[in-house]
Amino acid sequence: MSLRKFITNKTTAALAVLITAFANTSVFAQDAAAGAAAAPKVDMGEVYKSVIFYILVFLAVCLFIAIIGKAIKVYELSREAQGKPVGINWNGVHASLFALFLVIGLYGVYWEYTVHGSMLLPAAASEHGKKIDEMFNLTLIITTIVFVATHILLFGFSYIYKYSAKRKAYYYPHNNTIEKIWTIVPALVLTVLVLMGFLTWRSIFFKVEDPNHKPLQIEVTSEQFKWSIRYPGADGIVGNKNYKLTTSSNTLGIDFKDINSRDDEMADEMVLPVGKPVKLILTSKDVIHSFYMPHFRVQLNTVPGMRTIFEFTPTKTTAEMQQETNDPNFNYLFLCAKICGAGHYNMQKVVRVVSEAEYKTWIAEQKTYLNDDLRKQFNLPVAPAPVKSVADSAAKDSAAVKTNQMALNK
Ligand SMILES: [Cu+2]
């Protein structure tokens, strides 16, 4: 096939595609016009919601680029056929594109940091949260420096050392010194970051409990698709649970034979006294969920069949945070951070951090799980509530501490 015939064939084919596309669009337009006269008007805003629309736009853009490419090729071939020098210096074009990409890309990074950077979470509202934020910031600073330096080298060198007929490439296959530098330096930096992470994590998780300053125990149970919050009642201990005891009236499977369970209270929101350590006991009824309190920098999986524990101290009340963020509607949240099924998005609850006095008023208003129905089910005398011996409570307390310690050591 001669070159001219080839080009003509290609052009005819391209024209045929364009004409077909145009004809189809016209047919659509006519249909739409006819339809509009007969039926209620179609909302064109809906078009933007369909996937097909974006596929067609993508194909149209590809077609446009292909046509431009073909036109340039035809221009170059015709120059070649006439014995003229090549019209476009592609090495120069590519090198300039690299340089342009570097400038636009770095500006994009700057824009991301300044515009979206302010959309990050506000300052941590818990004691350990400050350490996590420091680690996050240090990692971000180091990776940003490395990112900017390597990209200037990568794109800058591609521009500076673009092909030149006057220059011969220097063959440079290996250099031990360079190999050592770019192996040892990242290894050292990563070792420091990993060690810092390890030590921070340890300091958050392994705490020696002060017997005079016991944390407030709160049990959170996840299930598809909700959270249940259990407060320990006056004894300060969340009682035992057993999945075999789950019934329609005892959905958490609380074991009311355990005296510590009897005063346990249910709550619809999590209310925490400011400045007091909180020990979260997390469990799950069905699949693994992830308990996440973004403002307190708390995140831990809830796992069926085991208890996971996280201890933290909130340092700012909701009211203080509303002032700080200048948002009177601000509320702390906890939510599920693991896609756990269709209703996952619905798994969130409000957390209110309040003063000690407000907390006491609130907790006094909460109902106990144990009601007359459950008393009958567990063969317990129907009110008045049983009196618990101090020795019993102390023994249970040390047992609970041991179980928690075991869970922590795992
Ligand atoms: Cu989820």
Side-chain angles (χ1 to χ4, degrees), residues 225 227 288-290 336-341 343-345 347:
F225 297 98
W227 300 100
I288 298 179
H289 299 261
S290 178
C336 179
K338 198 178 286 287
I339 308 282
C340 56
H344 161 71
Y345 69 93
M347 286 185 74

Side-chain angles (χ1 to χ4, degrees), residues 325-372:
T325 55
N326 228 340
D327 177 7
N329 299 319
F330 173 86
N331 254 324
Y332 291 122
L333 287 174
F334 75 85
L335 44 104
C336 179
K338 198 178 286 287
I339 308 282
C340 56
H344 161 71
Y345 69 93
N346 218 12
M347 286 185 74
Q348 60 175 33
K349 270 192 184 293
V350 168
V351 179
R352 278 198 302 124
V353 180
V354 295
S355 69
E356 182 86 35
E358 278 173 278
Y359 171 74
K360 279 189 175 141
T361 321
W362 175 83
I363 194 76
E365 288 164 3
Q366 304 313 304
K367 288 196 195 98
T368 56
Y369 273 91
L370 188 59
N371 53 28
D372 287 348

Side-chain angles (χ1 to χ4, degrees), residues 138-366:
L138 180 73
T139 310
L140 194 66
I141 290 167
I142 293 175
T143 47
T144 304
I145 292 169
V146 173
F147 177 85
V148 170
T150 49
H151 280 75
I152 288 175
L153 291 177
L154 185 66
F155 290 98
F157 275 37
S158 304
Y159 176 74
I160 296 167
Y161 298 108
K162 61 180 175 284
Y163 169 78
S164 162
K166 294 173 204 145
R167 188 168 51 206
K168 199 178 168 202
Y170 175 58
Y171 182 62
Y172 195 72
H174 191 76
N175 182 316
N176 274 335
T177 313
I178 293 177
E179 291 284 347
K180 277 177 201 158
I181 290 171
W182 68 41
T183 306
I184 293 167
V185 172
L188 280 177
V189 174
L190 282 175
T191 307
V192 169
L193 287 180
V194 169
L195 264 177
M196 262 188 67
F198 175 72
L199 293 174
T200 309
W201 197 233
R202 256 184 77 96
S203 74
I204 292 167
F205 262 91
F206 292 90
K207 283 191 188 132
V208 182
E209 221 166 74
D210 177 0
N212 301 317
H213 200 51
K214 288 220 172 213
L216 166 65
Q217 286 191 7
I218 300 174
E219 184 198 68
V220 182
T221 308
S222 61
E223 70 187 279
Q224 290 171 320
F225 297 98
K226 62 173 190 169
W227 300 100
S228 305
I229 307 169
R230 186 155 66 122
Y231 276 76
D235 61 0
I237 300 164
V238 171
N240 288 339
K241 266 195 332 188
N242 185 343
Y243 71 95
K244 288 177 187 165
L245 298 172
T246 308
T247 58
S248 59
S249 56
N250 184 13
T251 52
L252 291 180
I254 300 170
D255 180 5
F256 290 105
K257 291 256 182 268
D258 177 12
I259 203 157
N260 293 308
S261 298
R262 293 185 197 163
D263 62 350
D264 288 358
E265 291 166 313
M266 55 172 109
D268 197 43
E269 53 178 353
M270 190 182 278
V271 178
L272 307 172
V274 70
K276 199 175 155 64
V278 177
K279 178 181 261 173
L280 293 165
I281 301 165
L282 308 169
T283 64
S284 185
K285 277 179 78 173
D286 39 38
V287 297
I288 298 179
H289 299 261
S290 178
F291 177 89
Y292 182 35
M293 290 177 127
H295 304 96
F296 303 106
R297 314 294 194 258
V298 170
Q299 185 172 11
L300 205 64
N301 279 353
T302 65
V303 186
M306 72 180 281
R307 308 197 316 166
T308 45
I309 286 161
F310 201 113
E311 209 179 299
F312 76 104
T313 307
T315 51
K316 282 180 209 166
T317 63
T318 302
E320 281 170 353
M321 206 64 171
Q322 284 172 346
Q323 263 184 354
E324 200 172 287
T325 55
N326 228 340
D327 177 7
N329 299 319
F330 173 86
N331 254 324
Y332 291 122
L333 287 174
F334 75 85
L335 44 104
C336 179
K338 198 178 286 287
I339 308 282
C340 56
H344 161 71
Y345 69 93
N346 218 12
M347 286 185 74
Q348 60 175 33
K349 270 192 184 293
V350 168
V351 179
R352 278 198 302 124
V353 180
V354 295
S355 69
E356 182 86 35
E358 278 173 278
Y359 171 74
K360 279 189 175 141
T361 321
W362 175 83
I363 194 76
E365 288 164 3
Q366 304 313 304

